Amino acid sequence: MNKPPLIWTNVALFLITFLGAAILVPWYGITQGYGLIEWLAFIGFAFASGLSITAGYHRLWSHKTYKTKAPVRFLFALGGALALQNSALHWSSDHRVHHKHVDNNDKDPYSAKMGFWYSHIGWMLREYQSQRYHDYKNVRDLQNDKIVMWQHKYYLPLVVLMNIGLPAFLGWLNGDILAMLLMAGLLRLVVVHHCTFFINSLAHVWGSQPYTDRNTARDNGFIALLTYGEGYHNFHHIFENDYRNGINWWQYDPTKWLINALYWCGLATDLRITPQERIESAKLKMQLQKTQHRIASLNNCDELLEKLQAEYEVLKSLLADYYIAKKKLLEAKREQLSDQQLVQQVDEMKQKFLQQHRSWKQLTETF
């Protein structure tokens, strides 16, 4: 099979920046040294560009998991240029195709089933997409966003301004332009590039699948540390319209925290959250499937499989009843109605569900 021609601009970009970060950055550090300001700028620029991709390109524009004000969108547009991962319009178009056709080697632009190298960076090095995804029909909604279209039109000048002009200006203020260009510009760019690319590659091969096995996406807390919370990728691929990736308080998801902060400041609205019942149902279904698979390898397993299925049906029914009652209670509270009987009913159903869940957990962990 003949491979498409190389995109020499992309090849040169990734090769030169990587070699520069690997050679020039340590050379200058050894010969001249970097000060605290350069290190702080490296961290600040990394978070600014990384969060502009995760909170802006990804959760705002690609998935529309929340809405935000024009000044925030403007900053995300600048941060996206700083990240140098194409315009928000182009990035979102590719990403929507990825979710629609995940793991389809013929349609997913960065299918993990094409291999680690391809999904990490290889898909950008050759003309794989030249005839497939550049009409932007799947992002017509974003074409109504003036900021998105402004960034798309002036993307290259913005890239130069943000990646060279801004670090050079800060370096001039600090008295060492080259040090700032190397740290806040070059090294930061390469680190953010490959950490972001890990979402397409590493997050599809390493980790757990607690919510679905219909695709290759995995949950991995370590990858979340590198990707501003995007490492909970198995959750994301089944609940892509949720503004959160790390749904538990202890999960590292600074993108979620940023969106929450914008909401508390009145700069974000319409935060979309998956109903907890759907999340719990997905987890139970996966636990059932995994336990069935383990039991199926045992001798005389029919009786065990029947028991497992029966326990699952009971637990699923209790879960549905509990959330129906809980929804009624929340509606009563919103209407400022006091219904002690309903409160007691919800509490009793919760206890029944938790008791059955303990029995279910014990059963599934036995095998």
Side-chain angles (χ1 to χ4, degrees):
M1 179 181 176
N2 294 327
K3 291 184 178 181
L6 290 165
I7 305 174
W8 287 107
T9 302
N10 288 1
V11 172
L13 170 69
F14 290 125
L15 185 61
I16 292 171
T17 54
F18 182 81
L19 290 176
I23 298 171
L24 294 179
V25 172
W27 167 78
Y28 194 86
I30 293 170
T31 58
Q32 303 295 326
Y34 299 106
L36 177 62
I37 298 299
E38 283 85 19
W39 281 106
L40 291 176
F42 166 79
I43 295 170
F45 275 48
F47 271 86
S49 55
L51 287 170
S52 292
I53 295 297
T54 59
Y57 279 30
H58 190 206
R59 302 192 199 183
L60 174 64
W61 283 314
S62 294
H63 294 295
K64 305 184 78 171
T65 65
Y66 69 105
K67 296 177 182 178
T68 190
K69 305 289 187 180
V72 177
R73 300 201 311 276
F74 177 73
L75 290 175
F76 283 157
L78 293 179
L82 181 64
L84 191 49
Q85 295 179 31
N86 223 313
S87 70
L89 187 74
H90 191 107
W91 197 103
S92 298
S93 178
D94 278 351
H95 193 71
R96 288 181 182 181
V97 174
H98 166 65
H99 270 266
K100 185 176 181 180
H101 302 290
V102 61
D103 296 333
N104 184 325
N105 290 350
D106 294 324
K107 295 182 178 181
D108 183 350
Y110 30 88
S111 173
K113 290 190 175 180
M114 291 287 286
F116 182 89
W117 171 258
Y118 177 88
S119 60
H120 187 75
I121 195 172
W123 68 281
M124 293 179 283
L125 301 181
R126 293 183 179 272
E127 292 282 0
Y128 292 106
Q129 302 182 66
S130 58
Q131 298 177 351
R132 286 191 285 178
Y133 307 122
H134 293 167
D135 55 13
Y136 303 126
K137 289 181 180 178
N138 64 343
V139 285
R140 285 175 176 165
D141 56 310
L142 300 185
Q143 294 178 47
N144 295 322
D145 188 323
K146 293 181 179 179
I147 292 174
V148 169
M149 298 311 295
W150 168 79
Q151 190 226 33
H152 185 70
K153 182 178 180 180
Y154 298 106
Y155 184 70
L156 289 179
L158 288 171
V159 164
V160 174
L161 173 67
M162 298 301 295
N163 285 277
I164 298 176
L166 183 57
F169 175 68
L170 293 178
W172 174 73
L173 290 177
N174 192 50
D176 195 335
I177 294 176
L178 184 56
M180 191 66 75
L181 282 170
L182 289 174
M183 287 294 289
L186 184 59
L187 181 62
R188 181 271 316 164
L189 178 65
V190 172
V191 169
V192 171
H193 266 173
H194 289 281
C195 285
T196 303
F197 300 164
F198 280 147
I199 302 167
N200 300 333
S201 56
L202 203 56
H204 280 264
V205 297
W206 180 30
S208 62
Q209 293 185 300
Y211 302 101
T212 182
D213 61 358
R214 295 200 301 264
N215 56 67
T216 57
R218 262 67 173 177
D219 274 10
N220 189 306
F222 177 73
I223 299 175
L225 291 174
L226 304 177
T227 60
Y228 312 95
E230 299 286 86
Y232 305 106
H233 211 51
N234 188 251
F235 175 87
H236 173 64
H237 261 275
I238 189 173
F239 303 119
E240 64 184 71
N241 295 320
D242 197 312
Y243 85 96
R244 310 163 300 170
N245 272 16
I247 59 172
N248 298 308
W249 68 266
W250 44 267
Q251 290 176 315
Y252 181 77
D253 189 356
T255 304
K256 175 187 70 176
W257 302 335
L258 173 61
I259 296 169
N260 283 335
L262 293 172
Y263 174 76
W264 295 330
C265 295
L267 295 173
T269 60
D270 299 329
L271 278 58
R272 300 171 70 182
I273 296 177
T274 306
Q276 190 64 28
E277 180 186 355
R278 286 186 58 202
I279 297 172
E280 294 296 334
S281 295
K283 288 171 66 177
L284 289 177
K285 186 177 180 180
M286 276 301 295
Q287 290 167 1
L288 173 68
Q289 290 177 201
K290 290 176 181 178
T291 310
Q292 283 175 329
H293 181 73
R294 291 194 296 268
I295 290 176
S297 64
L298 303 175
N299 294 325
N300 302 317
C301 62
D302 291 346
E303 186 177 341
L304 289 173
L305 287 172
E306 289 180 7
K307 181 180 179 182
L308 180 70
Q309 186 67 40
E311 290 278 336
Y312 171 74
E313 295 298 336
V314 171
L315 185 58
K316 189 170 71 168
S317 177
L318 285 173
L319 176 68
D321 291 342
Y322 167 58
Y323 277 100
I324 289 171
K326 190 175 180 181
K327 184 178 179 180
K328 290 180 180 178
L329 180 59
L330 289 173
E331 289 173 353
K333 287 182 177 179
R334 277 196 293 267
E335 295 175 5
Q336 296 183 338
L337 299 175
S338 179
D339 192 332
Q340 192 60 37
Q341 185 177 357
L342 184 57
V343 173
Q344 185 177 354
Q345 181 186 2
V346 170
D347 187 60
E348 288 175 356
M349 297 192 75
K350 180 180 180 181
Q351 295 307 316
K352 286 181 181 179
F353 169 73
L354 291 175
Q355 182 178 359
Q356 183 67 22
H357 192 271
R358 284 192 290 270
S359 175
W360 167 259
K361 188 176 180 181
Q362 184 177 8
L363 178 62
T364 55
E365 291 179 352
T366 302
F367 303 99

